[in-house]
Amino acid sequence: MKEFQLIDHFFNGRGHLRKDVKLGIGDDCALVQPAEHKSIAISCDTLVENVHFLPDMPAQALGYKALAVNLSDLAAMGAEPAWMTLALTLPTADETWLEQFSNGLFEAADYYMISLVGGDTTRGPRSITITVNGQIPEGKALTRGGARPGDWIYVTGSLGDSALGLDILQHKRQVHTEHREYLVNRHYHPTPRVLAGQALRGIASSAIDLSDGLYSDIQHVMKASGVGAVIEVEQLPLSQAMRDSVDSEAARHYALCGGEDYELLFTVPEAQRGALDVALSHAGVKFTKIGQIYAQQKLTLMLAGKEYVPTASGFQHF
């Protein structure tokens, strides 16, 4: 199958068809019409085989995850997903693999109402690059740079499940059969907190999505905001599957340093805590207070009243 046949068969005309897409796949550029008084949020992520995903990862799960991790970046900014482009590098044009991959991709695209408007395909080692675009009301974007001393630190969902799921797939951990499917699914199918991010506009002072692990990602907020933080390790939210599958020290390691949770970490001033409860209850998202922002530019982890030192840091790209 040639390049343009591949594009037409597996990608063109599929997924959510937005009215603000004036010209999509098939020309030199796509044309979109942003809404009035909205800023455009743009994010790009690449997934490379043997670096970001295992060679035997199911193609459907890979298609879903490739988009979901990008949408998590939009969620962290409080953006509404709108358009995406896809650059797909493949060793061969495997039609069975492409069918499953595209099904997973458009499963996520349809759910979050995002349109594929262009991209590229080429031959080479397998990698997927997606650029997503979202829209945010002017002046309402969440950033990493707004945290202030006294703000409370929160996270959505539970932490560490994806990393434990990966270790299960790599035969580094064995867990009860009742928990295996859940944990592997959290690695294959993360949930971008898009509605939660939008609900946090005007409430959170800063936000970031947890891709490299809480221990690494909280330090990006600290650097951008010029502040420090104290994290209460005992307060880190853990799933029942995590609690049942590993000991407490391993669970803390996964929650702090595992990475690929794609939950939101955000800070909230004391005056907005009541509004937070209302906003995220309407979004249907569990959230947990795990610490507080301080003026001293240092990250301190506390466990049972004593300073805690993790055995590893988060994911490093280089």
Side-chain angles (χ1 to χ4, degrees):
M1 183 177 289
K2 295 182 179 179
E3 178 183 11
F4 293 109
Q5 292 174 317
L6 183 156
I7 293 169
D8 283 339
H9 184 76
F10 294 106
F11 299 102
N12 196 10
R14 295 187 63 186
H16 188 72
L17 302 178
R18 296 175 59 95
K19 293 181 180 179
D20 53 16
V21 177
K22 303 306 178 183
L23 182 63
I25 295 174
D27 219 302
D28 291 309
C29 293
L31 299 177
V32 296
Q33 183 64 56
E36 189 174 3
H37 303 303
K38 290 200 175 181
S39 301
I40 305 299
I42 303 169
S43 180
C44 178
D45 268 313
T46 296
L47 300 181
V48 178
E49 187 171 278
N50 289 314
V51 177
H52 301 101
F53 62 91
L54 301 175
D56 61 353
M57 182 173 181
Q60 184 277 340
L62 181 57
Y64 180 95
K65 186 172 183 176
L67 179 53
V69 301
N70 279 269
L71 292 175
S72 185
D73 287 331
L74 293 186
M77 302 289 289
E80 305 157 19
W83 321 290
M84 66 172 172
T85 60
L86 168 68
L88 190 58
T89 303
L90 300 171
T92 61
D94 182 332
E95 295 186 26
T96 299
W97 188 94
L98 281 162
E99 184 70 33
Q100 295 171 356
F101 174 86
S102 60
N103 287 342
L105 179 76
F106 288 112
E107 177 187 347
D110 287 345
Y111 185 84
Y112 293 101
M113 296 187 293
I114 185 168
S115 289
L116 178 65
V117 297
D120 190 28
T121 58
T122 190
R123 186 184 299 275
R126 196 186 317 270
S127 69
I128 301 101
T129 298
I130 293 180
T131 299
V132 290
N133 298 262
Q135 301 184 83
I136 311 172
E138 290 180 356
K140 297 294 185 179
L142 302 172
T143 70
R144 302 176 181 182
R148 296 294 178 263
D151 290 356
W152 297 99
I153 304 168
Y154 293 84
V155 292
T156 60
S158 58
L159 304 180
D161 293 331
S162 174
L164 178 51
L166 176 60
D167 277 357
I168 293 168
L169 290 168
Q170 293 180 311
H171 308 291
K172 297 178 181 178
R173 291 276 184 183
Q174 291 185 337
V175 302
H176 298 301
T177 303
E178 62 183 301
H179 295 315
R180 187 183 191 281
E181 182 179 357
Y182 168 82
L183 292 165
V184 169
N185 188 62
R186 294 310 299 153
H187 180 69
Y188 280 161
H189 292 88
T191 304
R193 301 298 186 180
V194 173
L195 288 180
Q198 294 171 29
L200 289 172
R201 294 189 307 224
I203 296 174
S205 53
S206 69
I208 190 172
D209 79 315
L210 295 176
S211 55
D212 296 336
L214 187 150
Y215 185 76
S216 291
D217 289 325
I218 183 64
Q219 294 185 66
H220 297 317
V221 173
M222 291 164 51
K223 181 178 180 180
S225 299
V227 296
V230 173
I231 300 295
E232 299 291 343
V233 176
E234 289 175 318
Q235 299 304 313
L236 298 180
L238 304 175
S239 69
Q240 193 61 50
M242 174 70 73
R243 295 178 186 275
D244 289 349
S245 300
V246 299
D247 61 37
S248 57
E249 180 60 26
R252 287 191 286 267
H253 167 77
Y254 282 119
L256 284 168
C257 307
E260 292 200 277
D261 288 311
Y262 299 105
E263 298 291 348
L264 296 183
L265 180 148
F266 56 96
T267 59
V268 175
E270 175 66 30
Q272 294 288 355
R273 289 183 67 185
L276 172 67
D277 291 339
V278 174
L280 288 194
S281 66
H282 288 167
V285 177
K286 172 190 171 185
F287 62 100
T288 306
K289 179 165 65 70
I290 63 168
Q292 193 167 25
I293 296 295
Y294 286 86
Q296 184 181 6
Q297 296 181 31
K298 174 187 175 183
L299 175 59
T300 303
L301 306 179
M302 298 297 295
L303 177 64
K306 298 180 181 180
E307 189 166 349
Y308 174 80
V309 179
T311 57
S313 59
F315 177 78
Q316 299 293 325
H317 295 271
F318 292 97

